[in-house]
């Protein structure tokens, strides 16, 4: 599969490592330019590109940049993507880093805000995952207590594509509902950073409160 990754930080870098190892064709971009991604490219075989080029021909695009950087993504960066491209949003709102985003403070789910900024539906996944776990904790399907990740989004086909990819990476998934329910996996909720199995994640999603904890409010 052709996959574009925009953001080469902890999550983006480790997804690049795992997805190339699984045989996917990965293009990776960051805010500083492809010349700064030489080491990652040499390590993984991924193609370093600009953010404008990352989605070219891609069936899946991962947006894994700080929330404050989402509005600065290149205009039309998805224009060259494959028809029906699935966009994964891994982002979290950290007001200490991102500044105050009024709509999110007023209750708009973080990924709904991101979707509005980029003008394309997104699937929320990997936002509460420790980056190192992407490398270390993947297990074959059917392994007892296999770690599970919540996945939220409105498009059933796109959501299934993401769930299949996560399964390939070695993790179970739990349907987190539509994007309007994706607050259930935002920072401060029971599933954020939770390494539990599918039962634990299902329970955590059900127990989540829509009220932001003080730590994650501006």
């Amino acid at each position: 599969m052709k996959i574009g990754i925009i953001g080469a930080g902890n999550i983006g870098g480790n997804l690049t490592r795992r997805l190339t190892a699984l045989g996917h064709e990965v293009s990776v971009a960051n805010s500083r330019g492809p010349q700064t991604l030489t080491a990652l490219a040499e390590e993984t075989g991924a193609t370093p590109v600009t953010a404008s080029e990352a989605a070219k021909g891609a069936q899946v695009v991962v947006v894994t940049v700080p929330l404050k950087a989402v509005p600065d993504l290149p205009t039309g960066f998805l224009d060259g993507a494959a028809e029906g491209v699935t966009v994964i949003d891994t982002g979290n709102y950290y007001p200490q880093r991102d500044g105050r985003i009024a709509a999110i403070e007023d209750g708009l789910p973080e990924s709904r805000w991101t979707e509005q900024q980029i003008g394309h539906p997104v699937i929320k996944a990997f936002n509460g995952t420790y980056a190192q776990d992407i490398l270390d904790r993947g297990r074959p399907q059917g392994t007892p207590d296999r770690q599970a990740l919540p996945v939220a989004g409105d498009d059933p086909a796109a959501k299934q594509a993401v769930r299949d990819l996560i399964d390939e990476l070695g993790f179970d998934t739990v349907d987190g509902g539509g994007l309007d329910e994706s607050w259930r996996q935002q920072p401060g909720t029971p599933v954020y950073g939770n390494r539990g199995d599918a039962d634990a994640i299902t329970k955590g999603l059900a127990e989540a409160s829509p009220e932001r904890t003080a730590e994650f409010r501006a």
Side-chain angles (χ1 to χ4, degrees):
M1 185 186 293
K2 196 163 174 30
I3 299 173
I5 298 178
I6 301 176
N10 294 334
I11 294 286
N14 284 352
L15 283 174
T16 299
R17 292 178 176 93
R18 288 289 291 121
L19 291 168
T20 51
L22 289 166
H24 295 287
E25 183 183 343
V26 177
S27 294
V28 61
N30 66 6
S31 60
R32 292 173 295 132
Q35 71 281 359
T36 65
L37 295 170
T38 304
L40 182 63
E42 289 176 350
E43 176 192 347
T44 63
T47 303
V49 295
T50 66
S52 297
E53 299 166 325
K56 187 176 180 182
Q59 295 149 283
V60 172
V61 174
V62 184
V63 175
T64 180
V65 300
L67 231 64
K68 66 180 179 181
V70 170
D72 299 328
L73 290 171
T75 302
F77 74 95
L78 293 170
D79 289 353
E83 188 175 351
V85 62
T86 295
V87 179
I88 301 174
D89 169 36
T90 77
N92 293 306
Y93 171 53
Y94 301 126
Q96 300 87 343
R97 175 196 68 188
D98 300 316
R100 187 179 194 279
I101 299 176
I104 295 175
E105 293 284 345
D106 291 342
L108 186 70
E110 296 168 12
S111 286
R112 187 66 82 190
W113 182 86
T114 293
E115 180 180 85
Q116 291 175 357
Q117 302 305 307
I118 69 171
H120 191 283
V122 303
I123 304 295
K124 188 177 190 72
F126 298 109
N127 73 291
T129 310
Y130 293 106
Q132 193 61 34
D133 288 354
I134 294 170
L135 298 183
D136 296 345
R137 291 179 63 89
R139 300 289 183 270
Q141 198 175 58
T143 302
D145 300 322
R146 191 188 197 208
Q147 184 174 334
L149 310 184
V151 179
D154 297 332
D155 181 332
K159 189 189 287 186
Q160 190 58 54
V162 175
R163 296 181 74 173
D164 290 346
L165 199 62
I166 292 172
D167 179 50
E168 199 180 339
L169 288 164
F171 301 90
D172 285 341
T173 57
V174 173
D175 190 336
L179 210 62
D180 285 337
E181 292 291 303
S182 64
W183 56 265
R184 294 181 181 276
Q185 63 194 73
Q186 290 178 174
T189 62
V191 300
Y192 180 74
N194 189 326
R195 288 175 161 142
D197 63 9
D199 288 342
I201 298 304
T202 299
K203 183 171 183 285
L205 288 169
E207 292 174 349
S209 165
E211 179 132 357
R212 299 189 74 84
T213 59
E215 181 184 358
F216 297 107
R217 286 202 309 265

